[in-house]
Structure formats: C-alpha cells, structure tokens
Amino acid sequence: AAMGAKVGRPDATVWAIDIAPDDRSVMVASDAGTLHELELATGREARVLDWTDGAGIVSVAYSPDGARIVASNRDGRLQSWLTTSDQPLWAETATPSGPNLWEIVFSPDGSRFVTGGDRDVAVMHDTFTGQAIAGASFGERERDDDVVLQVRGLAFDADGTRLIGGTSRGTVHTWAVDDPRSETTSQA
C-alpha cells in the first residue's frame, strides 16, 4: 500500500497510527481487526497482524525500544506482539479501563504501559505480561448512564514518575506513578 492508499478491507476505518522509534515503519490500526505495518519511506505494506477475534482495533503503540507492539480493540481487550514476529505474545481478555481503549502509552523505560478508555480510570499494565498492576481514577464517574466519560489523552513525563491524563470533560489530571492516589486536577 502506498501512502494515501486504503489498508484492509475497502470500507475499513483507520482508528490509530504509531510510528516506530527508529522511524522506519508505521503501524496502522483498523476497525477491520488488523494492524498494517507500512514502511515509512515507501508506504509499502510490510506485514499484516490479525487480531485473535477480529474485533476493530482502536489504538496501537510501539514500545520505546521498538521491540513490542501493544494494541487494543473495541471490546477493551489488549494484545501484544514482538516486532519480529506475527504471533501474539499475550492477549488480555478484559481490562478495567475499557471498552474502547482509546489510549495506550508506554513509560519511558518501556517496562509498563497505561490504557485509558470509556471509563474514568487509567490502568497501568506490565509490558511483558499485559496484567493490570495499578489504576488511577479520574474521579468523574458520570451520573447519567447515557453520557460516557472518556480518557482521551495520556502521557508520562520524561523520567516516568508522573502520569498525565485528559478527559472528555476537559479536565487534566496528574498522578505520581508510585502513588496513584496523589492526584491533582486542572481544567483545560
């Protein structure tokens, strides 16, 4: 696929893109349940990774060293691959921050990653197993069941000691990674 060409089935929607740390490839996530790795310089499709259950993929991230890929689907499940293999390393069947895990961000050292989705929590996971190891609440649970609070932005600071998250309500929260209860909040 050349840059500008469709990836996946003709009616597929691209939900997320991440560029590898070495700037050689880009991973494209689609609602068709596939990840397409494209060579950044040429746009040529290098490979396709299939999700185990075919659900639409809504986010994708390379680890900081470029050795792993983690993706999430609309059902709130996570899956990981080594960048040198087409076989999944692990699949996590449920996470407290999904469904629709819109955000995945790795810690600077790559040992952990955080997800955020259609619930008011950010969940930290072990990169090597996918298991949830900590959670931080945004404290903004909706009172109306028809309105969903979404975590729509997550970032670590440069040394990995703080996590910053934004919500669909326009608030920005900051936590010390070692103490998720240490939240500070500001309005965007």
Side-chain angles (χ1 to χ4, degrees), residues 122-147:
V123 177
M124 189 172 304
H125 302 264
D126 179 271
T127 295
F128 304 100
T129 66
Q131 295 295 311
I133 54 177
S137 174
F138 284 79
E140 297 184 28
R141 288 217 185 268
E142 298 287 351
R143 291 165 296 283
D144 181 350
D145 290 340
D146 294 334
V147 180

Side-chain angles (χ1 to χ4, degrees), residues 1-141:
M3 292 299 181
K6 291 286 282 181
V7 294
R9 66 176 198 252
D11 64 338
T13 299
V14 171
W15 281 98
I17 295 173
D18 197 25
I19 297 173
D22 65 5
D23 285 335
R24 293 186 180 165
S25 60
V26 59
M27 194 60 71
V28 179
S30 82
D31 69 345
T34 53
L35 290 169
H36 300 263
E37 186 176 31
L38 308 177
E39 293 176 354
L40 196 55
T42 66
R44 185 183 75 77
E45 188 169 85
R47 68 181 172 151
V48 176
L49 300 174
D50 289 315
W51 192 275
T52 53
D53 66 5
I57 301 173
V58 296
S59 59
V60 63
Y62 281 96
S63 61
D65 64 2
R68 294 172 184 269
I69 302 159
V70 173
S72 66
N73 72 4
R74 292 189 62 86
D75 295 334
R77 291 181 281 211
L78 294 163
Q79 197 161 304
S80 179
W81 296 261
L82 289 175
T83 52
T84 57
S85 172
D86 294 345
Q87 297 301 313
L89 286 171
W90 51 257
E92 183 65 28
T93 57
T95 107
S97 53
N100 292 330
L101 298 177
W102 300 112
E103 300 292 329
I104 299 174
V105 62
F106 277 90
S107 62
D109 69 2
S111 66
R112 301 170 287 200
F113 65 92
V114 176
T115 57
D118 282 353
R119 296 191 181 139
D120 73 338
V121 294
V123 177
M124 189 172 304
H125 302 264
D126 179 271
T127 295
F128 304 100
T129 66
Q131 295 295 311
I133 54 177
S137 174
F138 284 79
E140 297 184 28
R141 288 217 185 268

